[in-house]
Amino acid sequence: MEQPFEPAPAEAPLFNTSRNAWVLSRYSDVCAALREPSLLQTTPQGKATGPDDGANHARLYAEVQADMSRMSSPTWRAEMESTLHFFLRKMDRSQSFDVVKEILQPWSTEMMVILSKAGPVEAGQLRQIAEQIFFKKEHSSDPSASQRAKQAEADLDVLLENGKLSASKPMFAGLTQTVPSFLAKAWLALLQNPHQAARLSENPALMPSATEELLRYAGIVQTLFRYASADLNLGDTSIKQGQLVILKVASANYDSSRFDRPECLDVSRRSSGHVGLGTGVHACVGSVLVRMACTVITPIFLSASPALDGKSTPVWTGDTTLCWPFVVPIALQPN
Protein backbone atom coordinates (compact mmCIF):
# COMPACT_ATOMS: atom_id res chain seq x y z
CA MET A 1 0.00 0.00 0.00
CA GLU A 2 1.29 3.46 -0.92
CA GLN A 3 1.84 6.04 1.80
CA PRO A 4 -1.65 7.36 2.63
CA PHE A 5 -0.89 11.00 1.76
CA GLU A 6 2.00 10.37 -0.63
CA PRO A 7 0.75 8.62 -3.79
CA ALA A 8 3.13 7.65 -6.55
CA PRO A 9 3.95 10.55 -8.91
CA ALA A 10 1.80 10.99 -12.00
CA GLU A 11 3.55 9.83 -15.15
CA ALA A 12 2.95 9.05 -18.80
CA PRO A 13 0.70 6.04 -19.60
CA LEU A 14 2.35 2.68 -19.05
CA PHE A 15 1.39 -0.72 -20.43
CA ASN A 16 1.53 -3.65 -18.02
CA THR A 17 2.10 -6.67 -20.25
CA SER A 18 1.47 -9.26 -17.55
CA ARG A 19 -2.00 -7.82 -16.85
CA ASN A 20 -2.77 -6.69 -20.41
CA ALA A 21 -3.52 -3.34 -18.84
CA TRP A 22 -2.87 0.34 -19.36
CA VAL A 23 -1.92 2.29 -16.23
CA LEU A 24 -3.00 5.95 -16.30
CA SER A 25 -1.96 8.35 -13.55
CA ARG A 26 -1.77 11.85 -15.05
CA TYR A 27 -4.72 14.08 -14.22
CA SER A 28 -5.63 14.68 -17.88
CA ASP A 29 -5.49 10.98 -18.74
CA VAL A 30 -7.53 9.87 -15.73
CA CYS A 31 -10.21 12.51 -16.40
CA ALA A 32 -10.45 11.50 -20.04
CA ALA A 33 -10.79 7.84 -19.10
CA LEU A 34 -13.49 8.54 -16.51
CA ARG A 35 -15.53 10.40 -19.12
CA GLU A 36 -15.10 7.74 -21.81
CA PRO A 37 -18.40 5.80 -22.15
CA SER A 38 -16.77 2.72 -23.70
CA LEU A 39 -14.66 2.17 -20.57
CA LEU A 40 -16.87 0.18 -18.24
CA GLN A 41 -16.56 -0.32 -14.51
CA THR A 42 -14.82 -3.56 -13.64
CA THR A 43 -13.10 -5.48 -10.89
CA PRO A 44 -9.31 -5.33 -10.40
CA GLN A 45 -9.19 -8.67 -12.21
CA GLY A 46 -10.82 -7.15 -15.30
CA LYS A 47 -14.26 -8.69 -14.95
CA ALA A 48 -16.84 -6.29 -16.39
CA THR A 49 -19.94 -5.60 -14.32
CA GLY A 50 -22.20 -6.36 -17.24
CA PRO A 51 -23.55 -4.94 -20.51
CA ASP A 52 -26.06 -2.70 -18.69
CA ASP A 53 -23.34 -1.07 -16.60
CA GLY A 54 -24.59 2.44 -17.32
CA ALA A 55 -28.18 1.52 -16.59
CA ASN A 56 -27.17 -0.02 -13.28
CA HIS A 57 -25.35 3.17 -12.29
CA ALA A 58 -28.42 5.23 -13.23
CA ARG A 59 -30.59 3.01 -11.03
CA LEU A 60 -28.24 3.40 -8.05
CA TYR A 61 -28.14 7.15 -8.60
CA ALA A 62 -31.93 7.36 -8.63
CA GLU A 63 -32.20 5.37 -5.40
CA VAL A 64 -29.70 7.59 -3.62
CA GLN A 65 -31.31 10.78 -4.94
CA ALA A 66 -34.67 9.64 -3.57
CA ASP A 67 -33.06 9.30 -0.14
CA MET A 68 -31.17 12.58 -0.51
CA SER A 69 -34.41 14.46 -1.16
CA ARG A 70 -35.32 13.77 2.48
CA MET A 71 -31.92 14.94 3.70
CA SER A 72 -31.88 18.43 2.20
CA SER A 73 -33.99 20.09 4.88
CA PRO A 74 -32.73 22.23 7.77
CA THR A 75 -34.21 19.59 10.09
CA TRP A 76 -31.85 16.93 8.74
CA ARG A 77 -28.85 19.24 9.09
CA ALA A 78 -29.87 19.89 12.70
CA GLU A 79 -30.09 16.12 13.28
CA MET A 80 -26.56 15.68 11.96
CA GLU A 81 -25.25 18.41 14.23
CA SER A 82 -27.10 17.39 17.39
CA THR A 83 -26.15 13.73 16.96
CA LEU A 84 -22.46 14.58 16.69
CA HIS A 85 -22.71 16.85 19.74
CA PHE A 86 -24.27 13.93 21.63
CA PHE A 87 -21.36 11.59 20.94
CA LEU A 88 -18.74 14.27 21.61
CA ARG A 89 -20.28 15.09 25.00
CA LYS A 90 -19.93 11.44 26.01
CA MET A 91 -16.15 11.55 25.66
CA ASP A 92 -13.91 11.96 28.72
CA ARG A 93 -11.56 14.86 27.97
CA SER A 94 -8.98 13.40 30.35
CA GLN A 95 -8.63 10.24 28.23
CA SER A 96 -7.62 9.59 24.64
CA PHE A 97 -9.96 7.59 22.44
CA ASP A 98 -10.39 6.30 18.89
CA VAL A 99 -12.45 8.87 17.00
CA VAL A 100 -13.48 6.29 14.39
CA LYS A 101 -14.87 3.73 16.82
CA GLU A 102 -16.29 6.16 19.38
CA ILE A 103 -17.55 8.99 17.15
CA LEU A 104 -17.63 8.46 13.39
CA GLN A 105 -18.94 4.91 13.12
CA PRO A 106 -21.74 5.29 15.71
CA TRP A 107 -22.64 8.77 14.41
CA SER A 108 -23.02 7.57 10.83
CA THR A 109 -25.03 4.54 11.94
CA GLU A 110 -27.33 6.68 14.07
CA MET A 111 -27.96 8.94 11.08
CA MET A 112 -28.91 5.85 9.08
CA VAL A 113 -31.30 4.77 11.84
CA ILE A 114 -32.96 8.19 11.75
CA LEU A 115 -33.15 8.28 7.94
CA SER A 116 -34.55 4.75 7.68
CA LYS A 117 -37.27 5.40 10.28
CA ALA A 118 -36.39 2.05 11.83
CA GLY A 119 -38.43 0.79 14.75
CA PRO A 120 -36.72 -0.09 18.06
CA VAL A 121 -36.04 -3.72 17.09
CA GLU A 122 -34.89 -2.90 13.56
CA ALA A 123 -32.74 -0.02 14.86
CA GLY A 124 -30.84 -2.44 17.09
CA GLN A 125 -30.35 -4.82 14.17
CA LEU A 126 -29.20 -1.98 11.93
CA ARG A 127 -26.60 -0.82 14.44
CA GLN A 128 -25.18 -4.32 14.73
CA ILE A 129 -25.17 -4.84 10.95
CA ALA A 130 -23.38 -1.54 10.29
CA GLU A 131 -20.73 -2.24 12.94
CA GLN A 132 -19.98 -5.75 11.70
CA ILE A 133 -19.58 -4.64 8.11
CA PHE A 134 -17.54 -1.52 8.91
CA PHE A 135 -15.07 -3.22 11.23
CA LYS A 136 -14.59 -6.45 9.28
CA LYS A 137 -11.13 -5.25 8.16
CA GLU A 138 -10.11 -4.77 11.78
CA HIS A 139 -10.68 -8.47 12.38
CA SER A 140 -9.20 -9.70 9.10
CA SER A 141 -7.08 -12.27 10.96
CA ASP A 142 -10.26 -13.80 12.38
CA PRO A 143 -11.60 -16.39 9.87
CA SER A 144 -15.13 -15.87 11.13
CA ALA A 145 -15.09 -12.08 10.61
CA SER A 146 -15.73 -12.32 6.88
CA GLN A 147 -18.57 -14.76 7.47
CA ARG A 148 -20.14 -12.46 10.06
CA ALA A 149 -19.95 -9.57 7.61
CA LYS A 150 -21.62 -11.66 4.89
CA GLN A 151 -24.36 -12.64 7.33
CA ALA A 152 -24.79 -8.99 8.28
CA GLU A 153 -25.29 -8.07 4.61
CA ALA A 154 -27.83 -10.88 4.26
CA ASP A 155 -29.67 -9.58 7.34
CA LEU A 156 -29.68 -6.10 5.83
CA ASP A 157 -31.20 -7.46 2.61
CA VAL A 158 -33.99 -9.09 4.62
CA LEU A 159 -34.80 -5.81 6.40
CA LEU A 160 -34.90 -3.96 3.09
CA GLU A 161 -36.92 -6.60 1.25
CA ASN A 162 -39.48 -6.73 4.06
CA GLY A 163 -39.91 -2.97 3.95
CA LYS A 164 -38.59 -2.46 7.48
CA LEU A 165 -36.28 0.39 6.42
CA SER A 166 -37.22 3.55 4.51
CA ALA A 167 -33.88 3.84 2.76
CA SER A 168 -31.97 2.14 -0.05
CA LYS A 169 -29.03 -0.23 0.16
CA PRO A 170 -26.74 2.21 -1.70
CA MET A 171 -27.60 4.84 0.92
CA PHE A 172 -26.75 2.37 3.70
CA ALA A 173 -23.34 1.76 2.11
CA GLY A 174 -22.70 5.44 1.56
CA LEU A 175 -23.82 6.66 4.97
CA THR A 176 -22.45 3.90 7.21
CA GLN A 177 -19.33 2.91 5.26
CA THR A 178 -18.09 5.54 2.78
CA VAL A 179 -18.83 8.64 4.87
CA PRO A 180 -17.08 7.53 8.10
CA SER A 181 -14.12 6.14 6.14
CA PHE A 182 -13.60 9.42 4.29
CA LEU A 183 -14.15 11.57 7.37
CA ALA A 184 -11.63 9.48 9.32
CA LYS A 185 -8.99 10.22 6.68
CA ALA A 186 -10.04 13.86 6.25
CA TRP A 187 -10.02 14.57 9.99
CA LEU A 188 -6.66 12.85 10.36
CA ALA A 189 -5.30 15.07 7.58
CA LEU A 190 -6.52 18.17 9.43
CA LEU A 191 -5.05 17.01 12.74
CA GLN A 192 -1.72 16.33 11.03
CA ASN A 193 -1.87 19.88 9.68
CA PRO A 194 -2.92 21.88 12.75
CA HIS A 195 -2.31 25.24 11.07
CA GLN A 196 -4.89 24.37 8.42
CA ALA A 197 -7.30 23.09 11.06
CA ALA A 198 -6.89 26.38 12.94
CA ARG A 199 -7.59 28.40 9.77
CA LEU A 200 -10.78 26.43 9.27
CA SER A 201 -11.86 26.86 12.89
CA GLU A 202 -11.28 30.59 12.70
CA ASN A 203 -13.03 30.96 9.36
CA PRO A 204 -15.86 28.40 8.87
CA ALA A 205 -16.75 30.12 5.60
CA LEU A 206 -13.81 28.17 4.14
CA MET A 207 -15.65 24.89 4.71
CA PRO A 208 -16.93 24.43 1.12
CA SER A 209 -13.44 24.87 -0.35
CA ALA A 210 -11.94 22.81 2.48
CA THR A 211 -14.29 19.94 1.69
CA GLU A 212 -13.14 19.87 -1.93
CA GLU A 213 -9.52 20.10 -0.85
CA LEU A 214 -9.96 17.23 1.59
CA LEU A 215 -11.57 15.13 -1.14
CA ARG A 216 -8.51 15.81 -3.29
CA TYR A 217 -5.87 15.44 -0.58
CA ALA A 218 -7.48 12.70 1.52
CA GLY A 219 -9.84 10.81 -0.75
CA ILE A 220 -10.16 7.14 0.16
CA VAL A 221 -10.22 5.91 -3.45
CA GLN A 222 -6.68 5.24 -4.65
CA THR A 223 -7.35 3.33 -7.85
CA LEU A 224 -10.29 2.66 -10.17
CA PHE A 225 -10.51 -0.04 -12.82
CA ARG A 226 -12.09 0.06 -16.26
CA TYR A 227 -12.64 -2.48 -19.03
CA ALA A 228 -12.46 -1.43 -22.70
CA SER A 229 -15.67 -2.52 -24.43
CA ALA A 230 -14.30 -1.28 -27.78
CA ASP A 231 -11.08 -0.03 -29.35
CA LEU A 232 -10.46 3.61 -28.45
CA ASN A 233 -7.83 6.32 -28.29
CA LEU A 234 -7.17 8.48 -25.22
CA GLY A 235 -4.77 11.14 -26.43
CA ASP A 236 -1.81 9.23 -27.84
CA THR A 237 -2.76 6.00 -26.07
CA SER A 238 -4.43 3.31 -28.17
CA ILE A 239 -6.50 0.97 -26.00
CA LYS A 240 -7.75 -2.29 -27.48
CA GLN A 241 -11.07 -3.92 -26.76
CA GLY A 242 -10.80 -6.26 -23.77
CA GLN A 243 -7.84 -4.50 -22.18
CA LEU A 244 -7.91 -3.43 -18.54
CA VAL A 245 -7.38 0.25 -17.72
CA ILE A 246 -6.00 1.05 -14.25
CA LEU A 247 -6.72 4.60 -13.15
CA LYS A 248 -4.45 5.97 -10.42
CA VAL A 249 -6.92 8.43 -8.92
CA ALA A 250 -4.75 9.46 -5.98
CA SER A 251 -1.80 10.20 -8.26
CA ALA A 252 -4.04 12.28 -10.54
CA ASN A 253 -5.19 14.33 -7.55
CA TYR A 254 -1.53 15.04 -6.71
CA ASP A 255 -0.51 15.86 -10.30
CA SER A 256 1.61 19.02 -10.07
CA SER A 257 0.64 20.00 -13.62
CA ARG A 258 -2.93 20.48 -12.38
CA PHE A 259 -2.54 21.38 -8.68
CA ASP A 260 0.09 23.75 -7.31
CA ARG A 261 2.09 22.17 -4.46
CA PRO A 262 -0.30 19.19 -4.36
CA GLU A 263 1.53 17.61 -1.41
CA CYS A 264 0.37 20.48 0.80
CA LEU A 265 -3.08 20.61 2.37
CA ASP A 266 -4.57 24.07 1.80
CA VAL A 267 -8.15 24.56 3.02
CA SER A 268 -8.51 27.73 0.94
CA ARG A 269 -7.42 26.04 -2.30
CA ARG A 270 -9.90 26.03 -5.16
CA SER A 271 -9.75 22.28 -5.76
CA SER A 272 -12.69 22.00 -8.14
CA GLY A 273 -11.95 19.43 -10.81
CA HIS A 274 -10.39 16.85 -8.51
CA VAL A 275 -11.32 13.22 -9.15
CA GLY A 276 -11.69 12.17 -5.51
CA LEU A 277 -15.29 11.17 -6.22
CA GLY A 278 -14.78 10.26 -9.83
CA THR A 279 -16.31 12.22 -12.69
CA GLY A 280 -18.44 11.62 -15.74
CA VAL A 281 -21.14 8.99 -16.03
CA HIS A 282 -19.65 6.88 -13.23
CA ALA A 283 -19.09 9.61 -10.65
CA CYS A 284 -19.78 8.54 -7.07
CA VAL A 285 -23.55 8.31 -6.60
CA GLY A 286 -23.19 9.46 -3.01
CA SER A 287 -21.07 12.55 -3.73
CA VAL A 288 -23.71 14.97 -2.39
CA LEU A 289 -23.97 12.95 0.83
CA VAL A 290 -20.19 12.90 1.36
CA ARG A 291 -19.90 16.64 0.79
CA MET A 292 -22.86 17.41 3.05
CA ALA A 293 -21.54 15.31 5.92
CA CYS A 294 -18.06 16.81 5.73
CA THR A 295 -19.31 20.39 5.48
CA VAL A 296 -21.84 20.09 8.30
CA ILE A 297 -20.01 18.18 11.02
CA THR A 298 -16.32 18.97 10.53
CA PRO A 299 -16.64 22.45 12.11
CA ILE A 300 -18.34 20.88 15.14
CA PHE A 301 -15.53 18.35 15.48
CA LEU A 302 -12.89 21.07 15.28
CA SER A 303 -14.74 23.20 17.85
CA ALA A 304 -14.21 20.37 20.37
CA SER A 305 -10.43 21.11 20.27
CA PRO A 306 -9.23 17.69 19.08
CA ALA A 307 -5.56 16.75 18.86
CA LEU A 308 -3.77 13.58 17.88
CA ASP A 309 -2.73 11.33 20.75
CA GLY A 310 1.06 11.49 20.64
CA LYS A 311 1.39 8.14 22.40
CA SER A 312 -0.48 6.15 19.73
CA THR A 313 -0.49 6.06 15.96
CA PRO A 314 -3.30 5.64 13.42
CA VAL A 315 -3.92 2.17 12.04
CA TRP A 316 -4.63 1.92 8.33
CA THR A 317 -6.67 -0.53 6.34
CA GLY A 318 -7.21 -1.07 2.64
CA ASP A 319 -4.98 -1.74 -0.34
CA THR A 320 -4.00 -0.07 -3.60
CA THR A 321 -7.70 0.39 -4.41
CA LEU A 322 -9.05 1.91 -1.18
CA CYS A 323 -7.18 3.27 1.84
CA TRP A 324 -8.37 4.84 5.08
CA PRO A 325 -7.55 4.81 8.82
CA PHE A 326 -9.86 2.64 10.92
CA VAL A 327 -8.14 3.70 14.16
CA VAL A 328 -7.36 7.38 14.82
CA PRO A 329 -6.39 7.98 18.48
CA ILE A 330 -7.15 11.52 19.62
CA ALA A 331 -7.81 13.54 22.75
CA LEU A 332 -10.08 16.52 23.29
CA GLN A 333 -8.21 19.43 24.83
CA PRO A 334 -9.66 20.93 28.06
CA ASN A 335 -12.17 23.71 27.51
Side-chain angles (χ1 to χ4, degrees):
M1 180 167 55
E2 294 176 353
Q3 290 300 310
F5 299 110
E6 298 177 19
E11 57 186 350
L14 298 172
F15 187 72
N16 185 321
T17 305
S18 65
R19 299 190 66 179
N20 190 31
W22 282 99
V23 181
L24 308 182
S25 60
R26 294 186 303 200
Y27 176 83
S28 58
D29 296 327
V30 170
C31 283
L34 288 171
R35 295 190 177 101
E36 173 53 55
S38 61
L39 290 177
L40 306 182
Q41 288 180 314
T42 183
T43 66
Q45 293 73 37
K47 183 179 179 181
T49 57
D52 61 340
D53 178 76
N56 183 56
H57 185 271
R59 177 184 60 80
L60 295 177
Y61 183 81
E63 289 180 1
V64 171
Q65 286 304 108
D67 291 326
M68 285 299 302
S69 66
R70 295 186 286 137
M71 302 169 68
S72 58
S73 69
T75 301
W76 177 257
R77 182 187 181 103
E79 289 278 15
M80 297 176 81
E81 293 172 341
S82 63
T83 303
L84 185 65
H85 278 301
F86 169 77
F87 284 109
L88 286 171
R89 283 195 298 268
K90 291 173 60 178
M91 296 299 103
D92 183 350
R93 286 181 175 268
S94 67
Q95 301 289 330
S96 63
F97 61 91
D98 175 11
V99 73
V100 180
K101 185 175 183 178
E102 302 297 338
I103 302 291
L104 284 172
Q105 194 279 327
W107 172 85
S108 63
T109 300
E110 204 59 32
M111 297 314 300
M112 184 65 195
V113 169
I114 295 170
L115 177 68
S116 68
K117 301 179 181 179
V121 174
E122 290 77 15
Q125 292 176 297
L126 195 56
R127 292 184 184 100
Q128 185 175 26
I129 289 169
E131 182 176 0
Q132 288 179 338
I133 295 175
F134 185 82
F135 288 112
K136 65 180 178 181
K137 289 279 189 180
E138 183 178 5
H139 306 291
S140 58
S141 59
D142 180 357
S144 64
S146 178
Q147 185 57 44
R148 289 198 300 271
K150 288 181 180 179
Q151 183 58 54
E153 291 196 30
D155 293 341
L156 174 64
D157 289 337
V158 171
L159 288 174
L160 291 167
E161 291 166 5
N162 291 341
K164 300 294 185 181
L165 305 177
S166 298
S168 65
K169 191 170 185 179
M171 177 54 72
F172 172 88
L175 188 49
T176 69
Q177 311 298 312
T178 304
V179 166
S181 298
F182 166 65
L183 288 176
K185 192 171 182 181
W187 289 1
L188 175 60
L190 286 170
L191 296 178
Q192 290 179 335
N193 293 270
H195 175 66
Q196 295 299 313
R199 290 180 67 196
L200 198 51
S201 295
E202 294 165 2
N203 187 3
L206 289 174
M207 201 59 235
S209 64
T211 294
E212 298 307 315
E213 172 68 346
L214 288 166
L215 285 166
R216 180 199 71 82
Y217 182 87
I220 64 172
V221 177
Q222 306 294 289
T223 309
L224 292 173
F225 299 88
R226 294 293 186 263
Y227 168 87
S229 61
D231 291 351
L232 68 136
N233 293 318
L234 287 179
D236 296 330
T237 305
S238 297
I239 301 173
K240 301 299 183 183
Q241 181 179 6
Q243 288 181 334
L244 180 66
V245 180
I246 303 172
L247 306 178
K248 295 294 185 178
V249 172
S251 296
N253 277 335
Y254 278 65
D255 188 340
S256 59
S257 69
R258 175 63 176 80
F259 303 102
D260 183 45
R261 299 177 66 209
E263 73 283 357
C264 298
L265 178 67
D266 180 357
V267 295
S268 63
R269 185 198 301 269
R270 296 186 179 276
S271 293
S272 59
H274 66 77
V275 289
L277 294 172
T279 191
V281 66
H282 296 302
C284 174
V285 296
S287 58
V288 175
L289 170 65
V290 173
R291 287 184 168 97
M292 177 191 295
C294 185
T295 302
V296 171
I297 72 169
T298 297
I300 297 173
F301 172 66
L302 294 178
S303 71
S305 302
L308 289 174
D309 177 10
K311 298 178 181 178
S312 304
T313 57
V315 180
W316 292 83
T317 188
D319 48 33
T320 56
T321 303
L322 298 169
C323 176
W324 71 94
F326 69 84
V327 175
V328 180
I330 72 164
L332 301 181
Q333 303 304 301
N335 290 323

